[in-house]
Amino acid sequence: MIGRPLAKTSRLALAAGAALVAAIALACGPDTYEIPIETPIQPKLDVSAFQRVLVAGFVAGGNEDIDANQETVRLLRSQLRTKSSLRVIDADILPLVEVAQDQTAGSAAATDEAAGTHDRAAAAPKPAPPASAGSAADKSAQGLALAKNIKDEKDLEPYERLFANTAYWKRIGEEFQNPLIVTGTVLFANRSTSGIVQRDQEVMDPYGRRRVVPVRTYMERKGFLLRPKFVFIDGRTGATMYSESYREEVLYNAQQNTPALSSYFELMDRLVPNFLSALSSQKIKGTRVLLK
Amino acid sequence: MAAGVALLAAAAPALADSKGDAKSQVEFGINVAQRGLWREAIYRWEKAVELDPTYAAAYNDLAIAYEHEGQLDKARKAYEKAIELSPNNEPIRQNYELFKEINDRTTVGKDK
C-alpha cells in the first residue's frame, strides 16, 4: 500500500529533475562551441637574406599535352607575387632539360679529353695507371645518360645532379644579383587504374524512401599524377638550401574526358600552400571545438 | 579518524571552490575567445588548469588558443595532456587530429 504513493512521488521527482536539468542545460547553453581559428605557420626557410626570388625553371615531363615547365613557373611566380614579400624576377624560363643535356655533353667531352690525355700519356714510357681507372670512367659515362623524352620518375632521376652543380647556379645567381632561386623537377603523367571502388548509390527502400548505400563496384579509372620536387637554391653560393617533394593524383571515371591542363591546376592547387609555406608565413584557417 | 574526517570536510569545499573557479575561468575564456581576445583567453585557461590540473576541457581550449597564436609546441603538449585526462573525448581527439595535420606542414624536409 505504501509502495504506490512512493513510486508515484519518485516518478514525479524524476520528471521534475529531468525538467530542471533541461532548464539548466537551456540556461547554460551547450558545452561545445565551434570556433574559427587561423594558425600562423612560420616559413620553413629563413629567406631574410633575399629580397628577390627567381623561379628559374623545372626539368619537366610525363605528358605531351602540357608544358609542365612553363605552367609551373607561371603558376609559382603568380602565387609568389601575391602571397610572399619577395620580389619576383621576370626572366625567360630556363630550358633545364637542354641545360642538363649540354652539361652532360660538356662533361662527356671533358672525360674524352682526359681519356685522350691519358692515352697519350700511356704511350709515353711512364708507369701504367691503376686498372680501376678505366672502369670508373665507364661507370661515370653510364651514369650521365639523360632521357630527352621524360616519361616517368626514373627518367627524371639522372637530372638530379643538375641541382648539385653549384657553379652553374652561382653563375645564374650572379646574373640576377643573387636572388633566391626556385627550381626542381615536375612529373605530370597520365595514370590509369582499375579495381574495386566503393561509391554511394541512391536506392529506394521497401517503404518508398530514398536511401544512400555504399556499393562496391569494379571500375576502370584514368587521371593524372603530379610529382613535383621544389629545390631552393641560394643564388649567392649556388648551394641547395632546401628541397621538398610531393605526390598528388586525381582519378576519374574512364568515360569522363577531363583536359590535362585543368587536372594539372587542380593538383597544383593542393600543393601551392605547402610550397608557399617554405618561403613565407601563412595563416591556415580551420575550426576547432571549445569545451566547457 | 575524526581528524581525518575534519580535514576532508575542510578540504572538500576548497576543492569544490577551485573546480568551480576553474570552470568560471574556462567559461570566461570561451566568451573572450569568441570575441577574438585570444591572449586574454589564454590567461584564463592557464589559470583554469592551474586551479584544476585534471580539467581536460581547459587543456583542450588552451591548446586551441596556443594553436591560434602559432605556439605549436605548447599546443601539442596541451592537447596531449587533454587526451591523457580524457582519452575517449571525441571533440578533443578531432581537434588534435586537425592540429597534427597543420603541424606536419611545418616539418622541414618533408617528403610525401
Side-chain angles (χ1 to χ4, degrees):
Chain A
M1 286 296 285
I2 298 169
R4 278 197 175 189
L6 261 182
K8 198 175 177 182
T9 314
S10 149
R11 274 201 299 274
L12 272 174
L14 267 176
L20 186 66
V21 168
I24 290 170
L26 271 177
C28 293
D31 282 346
T32 61
Y33 302 85
E34 205 169 79
I35 193 159
I37 67 163
E38 285 187 359
T39 310
I41 301 291
Q42 293 306 310
K44 294 169 200 164
L45 273 177
D46 178 11
V47 293
S48 55
F50 304 97
Q51 270 101 49
R52 305 183 317 141
V53 58
L54 170 70
V55 183
F58 291 84
V59 176
N63 184 295
E64 286 170 4
D65 293 343
I66 73 161
D67 183 341
N69 180 22
Q70 286 228 358
E71 297 300 343
T72 307
V73 169
R74 276 190 210 147
L75 180 67
L76 296 186
R77 281 182 184 175
S78 102
Q79 289 290 320
L80 286 167
R81 264 188 211 105
T82 53
K83 289 170 185 154
S84 93
S85 56
L86 293 165
R87 248 186 59 216
V88 178
I89 298 171
D90 268 318
D92 290 342
I93 299 168
L94 294 176
L96 289 183
V97 171
E98 288 164 32
V99 170
Q101 301 274 356
D102 289 349
Q103 285 183 6
T104 303
S107 47
T111 309
D112 288 349
E113 180 78 14
T117 311
H118 166 74
D119 288 347
R120 283 193 296 277
K126 278 185 182 174
S132 62
S135 60
D138 290 347
K139 277 179 196 165
S140 162
Q142 281 166 8
L144 291 174
L146 295 174
K148 276 189 180 170
N149 190 8
I150 297 164
K151 288 178 192 148
D152 54 31
E153 287 167 65
K154 274 190 183 163
D155 292 340
L156 272 177
E157 263 172 41
Y159 284 92
E160 289 289 329
R161 62 176 172 269
L162 172 65
F163 310 114
N165 186 345
T166 51
Y168 172 73
W169 292 110
K170 193 175 176 201
R171 207 166 58 243
I172 297 288
E174 279 165 2
E175 197 179 318
F176 292 97
Q177 286 98 47
N178 305 328
L180 170 70
I181 299 170
V182 178
T183 179
T185 59
V186 179
L187 181 76
F188 179 68
N190 291 30
R191 180 137 161 66
S192 62
T193 180
S194 56
I196 302 290
V197 290
Q198 186 169 305
R199 61 191 176 86
D200 290 337
Q201 193 175 32
E202 207 173 70
V203 292
M204 300 291 258
D205 71 8
Y207 305 102
R209 292 174 302 197
R210 281 183 184 177
R211 283 178 57 217
V212 175
V213 292
V215 181
R216 288 167 66 82
T217 47
Y218 177 85
M219 265 180 89
E220 282 188 6
R221 295 189 299 166
K222 60 177 188 175
F224 297 94
L225 164 77
L226 179 64
R227 186 129 177 69
K229 178 180 182 181
F230 303 116
V231 179
F232 299 87
I233 291 173
D234 185 335
R236 298 165 301 181
T237 62
T240 298
M241 297 167 73
Y242 171 62
S243 70
E244 59 184 8
S245 304
Y246 293 97
R247 187 186 193 282
E248 291 286 346
E249 68 172 37
V250 63
L251 291 168
Y252 312 98
N253 190 323
Q255 283 77 46
Q256 197 175 328
N257 199 8
T258 309
L261 193 58
S262 80
S263 294
Y264 166 83
F265 282 111
E266 184 185 337
L267 294 172
M268 276 305 277
D269 248 15
R270 300 182 197 169
L271 300 173
V272 161
N274 291 314
F275 165 78
L276 290 172
S277 70
L279 302 174
S280 54
S281 58
Q282 303 287 310
K283 282 198 168 182
I284 298 179
K285 290 182 181 177
T287 52
R288 300 287 183 274
V289 177
L290 292 171
L291 302 173
K292 236 188 219 180
Chain B
M1 173 135 175
V5 171
L7 197 67
L8 268 179
L15 200 65
D17 277 358
S18 70
K19 287 209 172 195
D21 286 350
K23 198 163 173 60
S24 307
Q25 296 289 347
V26 164
E27 283 170 13
F28 193 86
I30 291 172
N31 201 316
V32 291
Q34 285 173 325
R35 296 164 197 216
L37 303 170
W38 286 94
R39 295 260 168 97
E40 179 65 20
I42 286 177
Y43 175 76
R44 297 293 165 178
W45 292 328
E46 279 178 345
K47 203 126 186 111
V49 299
E50 205 177 289
L51 288 164
D52 181 3
T54 66
Y55 197 172
Y59 278 106
N60 169 75
D61 298 352
L62 191 53
I64 293 169
Y66 284 145
E67 211 185 326
H68 185 84
E69 293 296 295
Q71 300 178 38
L72 303 186
D73 276 345
K74 282 184 168 185
R76 185 173 39 78
K77 281 177 192 157
Y79 274 129
E80 282 169 0
K81 185 73 184 169
I83 287 173
E84 183 193 316
L85 292 168
S86 184
N88 299 320
N89 189 309
E90 201 46 47
I92 295 178
R93 289 203 158 272
Q94 202 177 334
N95 286 334
Y96 186 47
E97 287 305 315
L98 291 167
F99 161 75
K100 279 201 291 187
E101 208 173 284
I102 287 180
N103 199 37
D104 285 350
R105 292 194 194 182
T106 63
T107 315
V108 174
K110 184 172 79 163
D111 196 336
K112 277 205 295 189

